[in-house]
Each structure stands twice: as C-alpha cells, then as structure tokens.
Amino acid sequence: MSTLSRAAEERPKAARDPSLPLLSLSGVSKRFGATLACDRVSFSLTPGEIVGLVGANGAGKSTLMRILAGILRPDEGTFRLGGQALDWAEFSPLTARRSGIRLVHQELSLCESLDTVENFYLERTLPLSLAGWRRRYRKLAEESLAAIFPGHGIDLAAPLSEQTLAVRQMVEIARAAADPALRLLILDEPTSALDAERAAQLFRFVEETARRGITTLVISHKLDDVARLTRRLLVMRNGRLVWDGPPLELPRILALMAGEGETREGGTERREETAPSPVLLSARAVPQEAPFLTLGPPWSETPLTFRRGEVVGLAGLEGNGQRELLEAVARAAGGGRSEGVAVSGRAAFVPGDRRREGIFAGFDVIANTTIGWVARHGFGLWLRPGEEEKRAMPALSAIGVPRAAWRGPVTALSGGNQQKVLFARGLLQEADLLLLDDPTRGVDLAVKAEIYRLIESAARRGALVLWHSSETVELLRCPRRLVFSGGRVVAVSSGAERADEASLLAAAFHRQGEKREQTAKRPPAARRLLAATPYLTVALFLAALGLLNPRSLTPFGLDLLASAALPLAALALGEMLIIGGAEIDLGIGAFAGLINALSATWLVERPGLGALALSAAWLVYALLGLVIAGRGVPALVVTLGASFLWSGLGYTLLPAPGGSAPAWLTALLAARPLGVPASLWGLAGLAALGSALDRSRLGVVLRGFGANPRAMQELGFGAVRFAVLRYASAGAFTLAGGLALTALTTSADVNAALSYTLAAIAAVVVGGSALTGGRTAPAGAVLGAVALSLLGSLLGLFGFSTDYVPLLEGGLLIGVLGLRRAVGGGR
C-alpha cells in the first residue's frame, strides 16, 4: 500500500462524511489599513468537493486562503470546521495543519537550498526512529511524488535551487498531499509552471482524492483548468464573493471579475454584460537587411534567423530548453559568450519566477521598475529628485499598476501586480530584444490582455520578442513558433501552419524519451570544481610547503600545522552555523578571547569556578538568539554589541597577555592516539561532528530558517526556540575553539583572539557555505580554516611578515566569491 493510500485510511471519518459541512465561513473580513481585502465573505465546503476560486489580482483570493491556512487572522467573522466553531485567537498555521487544512502556495514555500527529502522532513514529522530517518523520508518523498506525478525523474538528493521551477512546484504539491490528516487541499495556481502532461496527472490525482472525501479548492487564472476540474465556482471581486454556483461561460466570468455583472450567493444573477473579446496579437515586421538574431548548433540543426518586429513563441514541455535559450540570448546580448547564439543589440529580460529572479524585496515599486534604466543611465554622482518617478510613470501607468502603491514596498503588491512591475521594467529599457519567460504566470485575464497589447506595441516599434509560456494556447498568438524537445528546436511553424495546441504538443513530444527523466539541472563542471575548492587549496598549499620545507610534511611538521589550524577550525564551524541562518556573528573572535582568558586563569586556579564561568558564558552566548529572534534586533547589531562585552570581560580578567594552560588541556593536545597526533584527530573530529549536526534533523531545521524563515514559521517551527539552539550550537564550537587556543599558546591574549572573527568568516565562505544563508559545508569550513592557517606558514617560509596574512585572506575570499558568482554557485 502506498503512502498516500495509507494516509487516506488514517484520515478522520469526518473528512469522508458527506452529511457534515467540512468548512463554513461566515462574514469574514480583513482590512489592511485603508484596504478592505476581504469583505464579509461567507461560503461552505462539503467533503469531496472540487471547487474553483477565481478573481482579478487584488480581489482578495490570497488573503482569504491565508486566513484559512492560519497565516492571517481576520478582523471579524466566524469559522466552523467539521461543525465545530474555531477560535481565531488560537488558530495558527500549525493548528490549521493539524485540522487537515493544507495550502500549496503560488509563491513556493520551499527551502530551496535544501534537497527534496529535507523539505519533506520539514513538512511532516514521522515517528522517531533510532536510525535511518533520511531513508524513511526519502521513501515518503518518492512515494508521494510518484502517486501524483508518475515518472517524475526528480533527483531527490539535489538542492531544489538546482531544479526547475516545475520540479519545485511538483515537490510543493506532493509534500502537502502526503499529509495523513488532509481534509482540505488549497491549490494556489498549481499548474502555473507545469506542462500539459504534468497538469493532467495532477487533475487525475485531485479527482481520485475527491472520491476519498478530500476537498480541494483550486485558485487559478487558467479558466480552462478550472472549468475542466471543478463543478462549483467561486468568483471574488474587490474582496467580496460575487458568485457561488455552477461554472460559467468565459464572458460571464470576465464580466463578474470586472464588476460588469452582480450576483447573489447561490448563482442568481442581478444583471449581465459581456466582456470584450481578448486582444489578439498581430506584429508588423520592421524591414532590416541583416538578421537581428541567429541561432545555430546546438540549438538547431540548421541556422535560424530572426528580425526586428517579430514575435516568436517558444513552445514545448517544461524544462526542454526554452528558458536556457532565453538565458543564452541574454548572455550574448550582454557581451558574454553563448554557443550557437549571435545577437546585435540590447536585451531586456522579464522573468516569470518573480520571487527568485525578478523583484528586489527591499525596494519600492518605482525602484523595482527603474533599476534597469538606472544601471544604464544613472552612473552619475546622484539622480535628480523625482527622476526615477518621472521615468517610471509612463510604464507603470501603461500597465495599470495602482498609483497609490508606487512608493510602497513591491512585496505589498499581489503576485499579478508584481508581474506587471517586472513587465514595466522591461518596457522602460526600450531594448532591441524583449525576452519573456512566462510573463503571464499567475496573472488574471484582464492583465493578460494588457500584456498582450504591450507585446504587440513593443513589436510595432521594432523590438524582437522571444516569448516562452507554460500555456500552449498563448503561443498560438505568435506569428512564429519554435517547438523545443530535449534542449533543442525540433519544429518551426508560422502563421496558421500547425496553429493548434494538438500539433504543438505532438511536436513537443519529439524524442522525449531521450531526456524525459532528466528534470533536474545537473550542476556544470565549473560548479563541481568550485565545490572542490577547499580540498584543492589545502592540497596545493601542502604541496608548496613540502617543496619549500620537506620537514613540514613529517608527522611532527603536520602536527604543528594542524595544531595551529585547530582553534580557527572550531570557530569556523561556529560561524558557519550563524551564517547558515543568514546572519553573521561579529563577536565570535572576542568570545573565543574571553574563553581563552577564563581557561588560562580561573580554570587553572579554581577549576570548579572556572568550569561554572565557562558554562555561564556559553549560556549567555546562546541567549543572543533570544534577543535577535524574540526582540527583532538585527544579528549584526547584537553580536557587535556582544563583542564589546566579551572583550571587556576578557580584559578585566587578564589586562595583559599571560596566564597558563591547565595541565590536562596541554596533555590532551600532546597526545597521540594510535600514533596519530591529537591535532589531526581534532580536525577530523570537528569535521565529523559538524557534518553530523548539519545532516541531523536539527541541522535541517537550522538551514531551513536560513533559506526561508517565513515558510519555517508557517510550518510550525518556533523562530525563537531554534535561534537559541543555533547560538547554543555555535557557542559550543566557539568554546571548544577558545580552549584549543589556550592549549596551543599555553597562555591567553584577549587582543590576539579578535583577528579570528574575520578569519572564521573567510574560512566559512572559502569552504563553500553561502553568505546568504541556507547552505552550509562543515567539512569545507574546516578545510578552509586549514587553508588559511597554511597560508600564514607559507608567508613565513617566503620571508614575508604575517601582517600580510589578512590581505591574502581577503584576496582569497574575494576570489572565491567571484568564482562562485561566475558559475552560478550562489554567494
């Protein structure tokens, strides 16, 4: 029996009892300032229903769904689940999940630096077992994906950041559907990134779960999907529910969404007007003697040429090369090298994956619109006041972004309005080539019609438009179409030739067997080489040391080198845990200096008091997480302030270098278990311990908070609790580093320990962790610390002062960051 079949048997009987309403909302309202996002919304859902919900962008759909999922609390209204009234004050994302309500977000809530198995763990907790938790979750992920998307071909061990948008959407859907308590599945734009085959598989699964009593609420701007799948339709406009009844014809839905027809709940009409027909695309080619864009091998067996004024659609099943072509053309237009692509002119790119590739979350709407223009024209000393708004006004007005929102954060806009902003940015650049990567994903019909008009306008002024869409019917509007399969163009049609979905899909399946299972993007050789950077660097430095001084590679020499690296390696692991949470500790060296001072004074003179003081210092360090997450104070501010506290206490204990190491500590460092120096055992042990923590359940949660903190909280993980655990874990490694420093120097110097802060950060980055959080590399951090330590030894052999070490550390850090950026390996 599959996981999903077993889950169906475990679900509450109420989920399959058609005599009881599953869910009832009455008079639910939610206001954001002057905006009434939901206005007295009332409806009920019964077990086994498949209900469609549609409305224009900003109609209140997302707000309503976030209320149902416990993410938002309404201002008024009642909510009954299975006949029982729920208290809004106690209704949270965690209680919604326990009640069987699952929301699959349009803007995916995955932790993309984690792999599929780890994302399934965050979503659902299986009973504890002593061993093999990853194996159990791998089985759960495989069964859940296969139950919905047979033959998915997803590499479960690859980070989701290396997967296509379609794969991420499949994982998001499958992990919610695997919940054994599932009673209501809310799908927000579930097919926005899926090709026709994957969408059909999802529809079959939804129909199967309905027969088992599971209710599904489908939010989509693809009205064909809604009509095909549902037997009941909800329409929202301006926060109100204006239709609750059987599905309607397209003109009636458009009229309701636009406010041209009003209804009462239950489907009784008040008045009706038909909406205008959608805008059809027609582009007028601008004569030009030479081709503007040429594609040759490996994209096509025979060269393909494109001229100004053309609108060319890129068709095919998801993940078969359409996006890769757009990226290659953008690279070539920007002066880079792209095999098989020749471009003359400038390009503007409009992404469909707005959260990852489009919006700048910290900017307002105007800044998001003008950033491309500023990059080309704004390199003077300053921009004149009002210049950005003046430049953005025509584009934002043309595409219909509400003027009241222009100076607000772009993240406050609905998904469709964010997409409008990205399109306005592309228009403002007045580029010769407009690259559209699924620009209408997740937007309503009215916005689509506006985008179609703007595409037509761009073509008329002479721009070449390359348009990739996940909706095959959209590509029928293009006068010319390229069909992709297996990463290359397999068919070209123009005008009325093959101008139907069936023909395009048939061509798209050409040679699909060759690449159908390869839905994950395999990291390029350059990225694999980057992952090996810390290993290669250590090997290179050791080889250089061996050439300059053969005694360096003797057991005694290796012991000296490893001992020197041991404190930094421990601190690097501590800093790695903080950086993995998308934060930086600016006081980690100062804290190690305090531990150094305590262990060289009190731990020698009064061991009991010294041990108590070390424990108290570790506890205070752990409580930094409480201040950061509980009070919302930035980590940089807290750790910088704490660094003065650590240093002040250290100088109070030991105003000048001195003290001595406890005898047991020096003996520990001098030991040689099995004939191997303790320092080498220490480095290996640190790497093993760091890797074990990183791969543990706690490590997955800590990395998850670094990748997507909002999603983690919505999944029910406490931000304060895990912030304290993060700093407690980091503090333990730092405490070990401070003790290792005492054993190495047999004394204490608070001032000398301060330099370890930046060195630890450099070791973490050189080792392969991402400064933006979510991705850590424990073994790499240890090797990065070894490499930086060896660098100081090399300088000494060359006769240079160790004062140059920070300069070379900084150069190595910048070089690794630049290389990582160049190959797309993150930051």
Side-chain angles (χ1 to χ4, degrees), residues 490-790:
V490 295
V492 180
S493 64
S494 58
E497 180 187 359
R498 299 181 183 175
D500 61 83
E501 290 188 75
S503 297
L504 290 179
L505 288 174
F509 276 96
H510 180 76
R511 289 201 295 269
Q512 276 299 304
E514 298 177 13
K515 290 192 66 174
R516 183 59 185 156
E517 300 303 317
Q518 192 177 339
T519 53
K521 296 183 287 186
R522 186 181 182 189
R527 196 176 303 173
R528 296 196 298 273
L529 178 63
L530 183 61
T533 297
Y535 300 87
L536 297 175
T537 303
V538 169
L540 178 64
F541 287 178
L542 282 174
L545 281 170
L547 289 174
L548 294 171
N549 184 359
R551 288 179 297 179
S552 300
L553 302 186
T554 63
F556 178 75
L558 289 175
D559 186 15
L560 290 178
L561 295 173
S563 297
L566 196 58
L568 180 57
L571 266 65
L573 286 175
E575 189 70 70
M576 180 200 73
L577 290 172
I578 306 302
I579 288 176
E583 299 170 354
I584 291 180
D585 183 357
L586 293 179
I588 200 165
F591 184 69
L594 173 61
I595 300 301
N596 184 208
L598 282 170
S599 59
T601 52
W602 288 9
L603 196 61
V604 176
E605 300 160 3
R606 288 166 285 183
L609 181 60
L612 185 62
L614 290 173
S615 300
W618 171 74
L619 178 61
V620 173
Y621 186 90
L623 292 178
L624 295 181
L626 179 63
V627 178
I628 292 167
R631 307 300 298 176
V633 184
L636 287 174
V637 175
V638 173
T639 59
L640 181 61
S643 71
F644 294 112
L645 173 64
W646 310 139
S647 296
L649 291 173
Y651 287 126
T652 301
L653 282 171
L654 203 62
S660 62
W664 61 268
L665 195 57
T666 54
L668 189 63
L669 187 61
R672 299 177 67 86
L674 301 178
V676 178
S679 57
L680 292 175
W681 282 111
L683 290 175
L686 284 171
L689 186 60
S691 297
L693 176 60
D694 193 61
R695 298 277 293 174
S696 71
R697 299 182 185 214
L698 173 61
V700 172
V701 175
L702 294 181
R703 285 187 282 121
F705 268 102
N708 194 338
R710 188 181 74 175
M712 294 296 294
Q713 292 182 66
E714 291 179 1
L715 287 170
F717 293 94
V720 174
R721 174 191 173 195
F722 284 99
V724 172
L725 287 173
R726 181 188 306 282
Y727 278 84
S729 303
F733 280 112
T734 309
L735 191 150
L739 292 174
L741 185 59
T742 303
L744 176 66
T745 61
T746 66
S747 62
D749 184 354
V750 176
N751 190 57
L754 298 178
S755 64
Y756 278 88
T757 295
L758 295 181
I761 295 172
V764 171
V765 176
V766 170
S769 299
L771 273 176
T772 50
R775 188 179 74 237
T776 53
V782 171
L783 287 170
V786 172
L788 295 179
S789 180
L790 294 176

Side-chain angles (χ1 to χ4, degrees), residues 359 364-366 368-369 396 399 401 410 413 416-426:
I359 64 170
D364 63 17
V365 171
I366 287 179
N368 267 275
T369 305
L396 290 174
I399 203 166
V401 177
V410 71
L413 297 178
N417 278 323
Q418 289 179 15
Q419 196 67 35
K420 287 183 181 182
V421 172
L422 297 184
F423 209 93
R425 181 195 301 168

